[in-house]
Amino acid sequence: MAKNGNDAEIDEGLYSRQLYVLGHEAMKRMQISNILISGLRGLGVEIAKNVILGGVKSVTLHDQGVAEWKDLSSQFYLREEDLGKNRAEVSQLRLAELNSYVPVTSFTESRLTGVCVFDQVVVLTNSSLDEQIRIGDFCHSNGIKLIVADTRGLFGQLFCDFGEEMTMFDVNGEQPLSAMISMITKDSAGVVTCLDEARHGFESGDFVTFTEVQGMTELNGCDPSQKPPSLFICDTSSFSDYVRGGIVTQVKMPKTVAFKSLSSSMAEPEFMVTDFAKFDRPGQLHMGFQALHAFEKKHSRLPKPWSQSDADELVALAEEVNAAQSGSAKQEQLDQAIIKKLSCVAAGDLAPINAFIGGLAAQEAMKACTGKFMPIMQWLYFDALECLSEAEDAVLTEEECAPRNCRYDSQIAVFGSKLQELLAKQRYFLVGAGAIGCELLKNFAMMGLASGEGEVIVTDMDTIEKSNLNRQFLFRPWDVTKMKSETAAAAVKQMNPSIRITGHQNRVGTDTEKVYDDDFFESLDGVANALDNVDARMYMDRRCVYYCKPLLESGTLGTKGNVQVVIPFLTESYSSSQDPPEKSIPICTLKNFPNAIEHTLQWARDEFEGLFKQPAENALQYMTLVSSPRTTRKFAMRGALTSSGAPFWSGPKRCPHPLEFSTNNDLHMDYIMAAANLFAQSYGLPGSTERSALTKLLQDIKVPELEELKTLLPSTEAASQFKLCPIDFEKDDETNFHMDFIVAASNLRAENYDIPPADRHKSKLIAGKIIPAIATTTAAVVGLVCLELLKIVQGHKKLESFKNGFMNLALPFFAFSEPIAAPKHKIDWTLWDRFEVKGIQPNGEEMTLRQMTEIVTKVSKKKLGKHVKALVFELCCNDETEEDVEVPYVRYTIR
């Protein structure tokens, strides 16, 4: 077992992507936190998986129950051979494999209060209301943070109590804002004016501090406890006169939050709204879940699936619960239709709902451990009733939803057996087997997708790396260097042996269209993207539009996540709207006027390409480089003025100064060591890491002047004798000197321009363009994706049935909306429409392309007139293009 706790170093190779979400301080606090999770059905195992991947100190699993058929629809670490065994004990062995730094133990006794005292956070799932209140009161009075999570079919519930004084060190996780100053007034208001390049982004109530202010130096390093409304800072009338320059920087200040106990909050609840189209739903479900507990206490069971008599009884119980309320929890009128649907599906246990609520609950547990991000205050309710049949009068029967002693019993309880048959026949293409891909495959297996005649085809050209193990939970340390797609496919076959899955190692694009051709796409029922770049997403979107296939699109960025569903003939496509392009750094800023560490890092990254990759890829270019060394740029002298008389070195322009090389300067030596080894790699020469030998060698070297250097360079003919090897930048290898060079080069240039340096961790994020990632967001996003999949498989047709979603678990914030409808043109033509005509003449003979073209053009112009800009033809028989070739089938699209 690897070491975790107070004295443990953070394994940056494993946690690198998560560290960019949480930061080192929060990660250290999490490494000393113990978590108890009670209830190891589908929701409990989802929460446990996420917090173990996150890297807490220890996890204790509590469950007295044994595995049953109904557990297998969402508990991915239980197998059929585990039926009858304790859920916690079976799950402990498989959960422990997720992270060698986190000890995982099981606990099967009845009373929890004895073990709770050793934990910082207690998470209750699958527990009675009486147990929740008892444990909740104990935790609140003993300073233990409590999370209650529950799922019932298509409904979910979450409650948080982190004590009467919970300090949050960073409520949103965003990087502190910073802006360059152009003016500060000397008066009672102290108005700060920023440069006009962009909006500064500060808000009323932000705390700020100042650096590099010339003249009004009293502001430099000031106490950030001053709370400014916008950028009216304070009375500056007694300060020195402002001269020029300065940087204003936001300071994150701690915030103390007070929570009520569970028993107190039951009567006076504070709700977190997840869907503003269902604004009054939380209050209704608050009564409904209490009624469910009352029903279960009375009958020792949940309402039977789609039992109308049980639904009527639950409504009556909900009315009683509501009538007994005296606080704000009381509802003016209960929505009986919602309560009845809760009753009908409550016996269900769905993998997508558990993934969503489990992702949120695990993130709240991490907030409780670290004080990072704003907690849910205090109740969250969620439902996905849109997944049920669109027909208003559609009601399933008890017989259709009765248990069958199969692994899908808890899903059949919600949707009936017919949907299960449809799921088994689905043929889906999953593009990507990374974090989102792994979560999708897990959900596919639990739902029974492609468990019969269907098939899941997953493709990913990447191999498994150590940094993947923190969130791509289907992989283990012994899988490093193996192919992602094959390893993921084998892992989900262990979860559900019935799933038919094939792993490919192909990149999707024009070069693989002979593999993923017409026959392939036309055989699909849909596509799910699990990609990490926009170009590949847009390519797959174009393919899905062309072949009229549904597309499930999703993505994450730290605690942020989004889901988009694309339905043929109904919604717009992924490419219909695009994010604005990333802001690029002007060339003049990079080369001459850097003023931020991002500028020097990009410069260092360009230097890497220019020194170690491009010359080797273009030998002629290299000869030009070695025979024509760079000349020194001429900069304006310090104190120079512009034509208007203003200081040249002002505002964003920082005046550079030269550095004197010294072997006693670690940064100088880092640069030489990295550059020398990289040049050695380029020339196929052995490298060296002997720093003392390098120091001695450098002390004996006399660096020639530039003019003398020209005479020492090899001739073009001599240089051509060297064999050059291009070096591709790889950020995650700690031994290849790539990041050593980037960090040293960037920080040396930063020192030239008096820019604060960046450590290796931050440099790697910026130069490597790393996407911050954490398992909790991925799990929650994929849960929402699979809810949309259920709608697609059922054949939903109404736009309002589908949900695009956005979330930020740090704030927390949720937004759901209907997808945007496919744009319609004046000819009632959407991007999904096609003309498909068989090329057969009335006499039964096949038409030539010339004949087909004439007919199509005539018909199209008659029907569509001036709206036809072009007819795009695709020959479906072969690649010939002669006009007289016989064409059995032609597809053409209006543009």
Side-chain angles (χ1 to χ4, degrees):
M1 178 67 67
K3 189 176 182 181
N4 207 357
N6 288 312
D7 301 324
E9 291 293 325
I10 298 173
D11 187 342
E12 292 194 3
L14 174 65
Y15 295 118
S16 65
R17 303 321 188 249
Q18 180 176 291
L19 278 168
Y20 293 121
V21 181
L22 297 178
H24 283 76
E25 291 304 314
M27 190 71 206
K28 288 176 182 177
R29 288 192 288 268
M30 197 154 69
Q31 284 188 333
I32 59 173
S33 299
N34 302 307
I35 294 182
L36 169 69
I37 299 172
S38 177
L40 265 294
R41 298 192 67 200
L43 178 58
V45 77
E46 183 70 44
I47 299 169
K49 179 256 293 179
N50 292 328
V51 297
I52 291 169
L53 289 172
V56 295
K57 183 178 181 180
S58 72
V59 172
T60 301
L61 310 173
H62 170 260
D63 200 320
Q64 291 181 278
V66 297
E68 303 175 67
W69 280 112
K70 65 182 180 181
D71 297 322
L72 300 187
S73 65
S74 65
Q75 220 287 21
F76 46 87
Y77 283 148
L78 293 179
R79 300 168 187 170
E80 292 186 18
E81 58 266 29
D82 298 323
L83 294 174
K85 299 177 183 178
N86 180 272
R87 288 187 291 246
E89 292 178 342
V90 173
S91 302
Q92 180 267 331
L93 298 172
R94 291 157 190 159
L95 285 166
E97 292 180 350
L98 290 171
N99 192 339
S100 61
Y101 289 100
V102 182
V104 181
T105 56
S106 59
F107 176 72
T108 60
E109 295 180 16
S110 58
R111 293 187 66 82
L112 282 173
T113 49
V115 72
C116 283
V117 294
F118 300 107
D119 298 284
Q120 281 77 35
V121 183
V122 172
V123 183
L124 299 180
T125 74
N126 195 36
S127 55
S128 68
L129 182 59
D130 291 340
E131 178 82 345
Q132 292 172 8
I133 292 174
R134 184 176 66 83
I135 297 296
D137 289 342
F138 176 85
C139 289
H140 192 80
S141 60
N142 286 276
I144 301 169
K145 298 170 179 65
L146 173 73
I147 297 170
V148 177
D150 204 357
T151 58
R152 305 288 180 174
L154 289 166
F155 297 85
Q157 177 196 56
L158 194 58
F159 170 80
C160 297
D161 170 17
F162 297 166
E164 295 178 1
E165 288 190 7
M166 175 66 183
T167 300
M168 313 312 298
F169 300 99
D170 181 357
V171 297
N172 61 18
E174 300 296 330
Q175 288 296 313
L177 298 170
S178 183
M180 303 190 78
I181 298 169
S182 63
M183 183 60 193
I184 304 176
T185 62
K186 185 179 179 179
D187 51 33
S188 59
V191 179
V192 178
T193 305
C194 298
L195 291 175
D196 294 333
E197 288 184 352
R199 292 178 60 87
H200 55 68
F202 292 100
E203 298 179 357
S204 296
D206 283 351
F207 291 81
V208 296
T209 190
F210 296 84
T211 55
E212 301 184 31
V213 176
Q214 297 181 40
M216 198 177 285
T217 55
E218 294 91 340
L219 286 175
N220 289 331
C222 65
D223 185 356
S225 62
Q226 175 65 44
K227 188 175 182 180
S230 187
L231 288 182
F232 296 85
I233 48 174
C234 60
D235 185 350
T236 58
S237 57
S238 62
F239 291 178
S240 305
D241 290 339
Y242 175 78
V243 177
R244 72 174 68 90
I247 297 173
V248 56
T249 303
Q250 184 185 36
V251 179
K252 296 292 186 74
M253 302 297 289
K255 181 177 181 179
T256 301
V257 184
F259 291 80
K260 291 183 285 190
S261 68
L262 176 63
S263 53
S264 299
S265 187
M266 290 286 292
E268 300 288 343
E270 184 178 350
F271 296 124
M272 169 84 215
V273 179
T274 57
D275 189 342
F276 287 93
K278 305 173 180 178
F279 191 79
D280 60 346
R281 191 69 55 85
Q284 298 288 329
L285 294 180
H286 193 62
M287 296 297 103
F289 269 77
Q290 292 181 61
L292 271 180
H293 285 293
F295 186 102
E296 193 169 10
K297 184 176 183 179
K298 179 179 179 181
H299 297 285
S300 298
R301 65 171 176 84
L302 288 167
K304 294 177 182 177
W306 295 93
S307 166
Q308 296 307 306
S309 59
D310 283 358
D312 291 337
E313 183 177 351
L314 189 71
V315 169
L317 286 171
E319 295 285 5
E320 292 177 11
V321 171
N322 190 47
Q325 299 295 317
S326 57
S328 62
K330 187 169 186 176
Q331 302 295 297
E332 289 185 11
Q333 184 174 359
L334 284 182
D335 187 333
Q336 294 191 4
I338 294 297
I339 303 299
K340 285 186 176 181
K341 286 181 178 177
L342 175 62
S343 174
C344 289
V345 303
D349 191 27
L350 304 178
I353 295 289
N354 287 333
F356 178 68
I357 297 295
L360 270 57
Q363 187 66 64
E364 294 307 301
M366 292 183 184
K367 293 176 186 178
C369 295
T370 64
K372 181 87 172 184
F373 310 138
M374 190 67 185
I376 290 172
M377 300 294 294
Q378 287 186 258
W379 293 92
L380 178 147
Y381 287 94
F382 174 80
D383 75 82
L385 289 176
E386 298 83 7
C387 292
L388 295 175
S389 173
E390 289 183 317
E392 294 183 4
D393 57 348
V395 177
L396 294 168
T397 65
E398 291 186 53
E399 184 180 358
E400 289 177 283
C401 303
R404 287 155 170 74
N405 288 336
C406 76
R407 67 177 306 118
Y408 310 115
D409 274 355
S410 289
Q411 190 163 271
I412 291 172
V414 177
F415 299 108
S417 57
K418 291 181 180 178
L419 175 60
Q420 207 58 52
E421 295 169 4
L422 289 172
L423 285 165
K425 297 175 181 178
Q426 295 294 299
R427 180 176 167 84
Y428 256 77
F429 186 29
L430 172 59
V431 188
I436 289 177
C438 285
E439 290 287 340
L440 281 168
L441 287 174
K442 175 256 289 181
N443 280 274
F444 288 173
M446 294 296 96
M447 295 162 65
L449 190 78
S451 59
E453 301 171 8
E455 184 182 17
V456 172
I457 304 96
V458 54
T459 187
D460 196 309
M461 62 178 292
D462 288 342
T463 56
I464 299 165
E465 301 173 358
K466 182 181 179 181
S467 63
N468 300 148
L469 304 180
N470 171 239
R471 62 202 182 283
Q472 300 174 22
F473 84 106
L474 295 181
F475 308 140
R476 300 291 177 267
W478 51 84
D479 294 323
V480 171
T481 73
K482 295 179 182 178
M483 299 304 300
K484 285 186 176 181
S485 57
E486 292 178 350
T487 308
V492 294
K493 285 284 284 185
Q494 292 289 317
M495 295 178 175
N496 183 357
S498 298
I499 187 172
R500 295 181 60 190
I501 183 168
T502 305
H504 291 182
Q505 293 80 48
N506 301 316
R507 182 196 301 271
V508 291
T510 54
D511 54 339
T512 55
E513 287 183 0
K514 289 185 178 179
V515 178
Y516 307 121
D517 55 10
D518 288 355
D519 291 340
F520 175 82
F521 270 96
E522 287 170 357
S523 70
L524 297 176
D525 292 294
V527 175
N529 274 350
L531 293 160
D532 60 359
N533 67 89
V534 173
D535 290 342
R537 284 184 167 105
M538 293 184 73
Y539 173 81
M540 286 307 301
D541 179 64
R542 290 194 298 271
R543 299 296 275 175
C544 289
V545 168
Y546 184 81
Y547 291 102
C548 298
K549 299 298 178 182
L551 172 65
L552 294 165
E553 173 58 58
S554 59
T556 67
L557 178 64
T559 59
K560 303 180 184 75
N562 69 281
V563 177
Q564 181 179 1
V565 57
V566 179
I567 307 297
F569 308 105
L570 187 63
T571 73
E572 68 172 8
S573 72
Y574 172 80
S575 303
S576 298
S577 58
Q578 298 180 29
D579 293 331
E582 292 185 16
K583 187 177 180 181
S584 59
I585 305 171
I587 296 296
C588 62
T589 301
L590 283 178
K591 294 187 177 297
N592 300 327
F593 307 118
N595 57 68
I597 197 66
E598 288 80 4
H599 303 159
T600 64
L601 281 164
Q602 184 59 56
W603 176 87
R605 186 72 176 81
D606 294 344
E607 284 290 291
F608 185 98
E609 297 292 315
L611 291 172
F612 310 121
K613 183 179 181 182
Q614 293 168 2
E617 291 180 334
N618 188 337
L620 179 61
Q621 177 189 5
Y622 177 73
M623 299 310 136
T624 305
L625 285 171
V626 297
S627 60
S628 303
R630 302 173 192 177
T631 58
T632 305
R633 289 191 183 89
K634 292 184 179 179
F635 285 98
M637 299 295 290
R638 188 177 294 270
L641 302 177
T642 65
S643 58
S644 63
F648 181 85
W649 298 109
S650 63
K653 294 178 181 176
R654 291 172 174 262
C655 184
H657 62 270
L659 305 179
E660 292 294 330
F661 175 75
S662 171
T663 55
N664 295 321
N665 188 304
D666 288 340
L667 184 58
H668 296 184
M669 292 299 294
D670 289 344
Y671 178 81
I672 298 295
M673 177 70 77
N677 276 278
L678 288 168
F679 272 120
Q681 291 176 33
S682 294
Y683 287 99
L685 301 174
S688 173
T689 57
E690 292 294 330
R691 204 173 182 98
S692 58
L694 177 63
T695 301
K696 187 176 185 305
L697 182 65
L698 291 171
Q699 289 171 343
D700 298 334
I701 290 178
K702 178 181 180 298
V703 179
E705 297 295 330
L706 181 61
E707 291 302 317
E708 184 184 353
L709 181 62
K710 292 181 181 179
T711 66
L712 298 176
L713 290 170
S715 65
T716 301
E717 182 179 354
S720 65
Q721 304 301 313
F722 291 99
K723 181 182 179 182
L724 285 172
C725 302
I727 300 177
D728 291 316
F729 178 67
E730 171 49 58
K731 59 187 177 294
D732 287 320
D733 187 340
E734 297 296 320
T735 64
N736 64 7
F737 292 101
H738 295 195
M739 279 307 304
D740 300 82
F741 176 84
I742 297 293
V743 174
S746 171
N747 284 339
L748 284 171
R749 187 166 175 81
E751 190 176 345
N752 281 137
Y753 286 87
D754 294 317
I755 298 170
D759 61 16
R760 188 185 185 93
H761 181 68
K762 182 176 180 180
S763 299
K764 185 176 175 180
L765 170 70
I766 298 170
K769 297 182 178 179
I770 290 175
I771 300 173
I774 191 167
T776 50
T777 311
T778 307
V781 162
V782 169
L784 296 178
V785 171
C786 290
L787 290 175
E788 300 307 304
L789 173 62
L790 288 168
K791 301 171 188 176
I792 292 171
V793 174
Q794 291 178 85
H796 283 21
K797 299 297 183 185
K798 297 178 181 178
L799 192 66
E800 59 269 23
S801 296
F802 296 94
K803 293 281 188 180
N804 287 347
F806 172 80
M807 68 181 75
N808 186 341
L809 300 187
L811 297 178
F813 173 78
F814 303 89
F816 295 96
S817 63
E818 293 177 10
I820 298 175
K824 293 186 177 181
H825 308 292
K826 293 180 180 178
I827 55 173
D828 292 331
W829 194 264
T830 75
L831 57 87
W832 297 105
D833 289 307
R834 300 284 188 278
F835 281 140
E836 294 184 0
V837 180
K838 293 291 182 181
I840 307 297
Q841 299 186 60
N843 60 9
E845 295 181 2
E846 293 177 340
M847 294 182 185
T848 65
L849 180 56
R850 184 193 301 276
Q851 293 169 326
M852 177 70 78
T853 303
E854 291 173 353
I855 293 174
V856 169
T857 303
K858 184 184 297 184
V859 172
S860 298
K861 286 186 175 180
K862 181 178 179 181
K863 287 187 175 183
L864 306 176
K866 63 181 181 180
H867 300 294
V868 178
K869 294 181 180 178
L871 291 174
V872 182
F873 290 83
E874 178 197 359
L875 301 184
C876 299
C877 54
N878 53 41
D879 294 331
E880 296 177 350
T881 57
E882 288 83 357
E883 289 187 339
D884 291 326
V885 69
E886 291 186 344
V887 184
Y889 184 85
V890 176
R891 170 179 287 163
Y892 45 97
T893 306
I894 291 180
R895 299 285 169 84

